[in-house]
Amino acid sequence: MLHETWHENDLGTVKVVHTDAEKYKVSDMLTVGKTYKMVNETEEYIFVIDNSGKVGGYYKTYFEKVES
């Protein structure tokens, strides 16, 4: 399955700008101000290796891209 190899991808770095979620609690998995390796991206979501050490998908509104 393709998603099982996402942790090997490196599509850039993103920085968390907020964790103010309306529906879900994301503050346990993302830290404001911390940068994360982006492993996949869709129109609505960015997939990163989060604080749990696993790949998680989050709305793009939580992030800003970091220039390399």
Side-chain angles (χ1 to χ4, degrees):
M1 297 182 142
L2 184 61
H3 69 279
E4 293 178 353
T5 61
W6 282 358
H7 64 279
E8 300 168 3
N9 294 351
D10 188 1
L11 301 178
T13 305
V14 291
K15 180 180 176 182
V16 177
V17 292
H18 73 85
T19 56
D20 304 326
E22 291 181 22
K23 192 172 183 181
Y24 302 105
K25 183 176 180 182
V26 297
S27 59
D28 289 343
M29 293 296 138
L30 299 175
T31 304
V32 175
K34 186 174 177 181
T35 58
Y36 295 90
K37 181 174 89 167
M38 182 170 54
V39 296
N40 196 21
E41 183 177 14
T42 64
E43 286 184 27
E44 196 172 357
Y45 298 100
I46 290 179
F47 294 84
V48 298
I49 298 176
D50 59 23
N51 293 346
S52 70
K54 298 179 182 177
V55 175
Y58 302 94
Y59 287 118
K60 287 185 173 184
T61 59
Y62 301 127
F63 303 98
E64 65 181 14
K65 292 192 178 182
V66 176
E67 298 297 325
S68 301

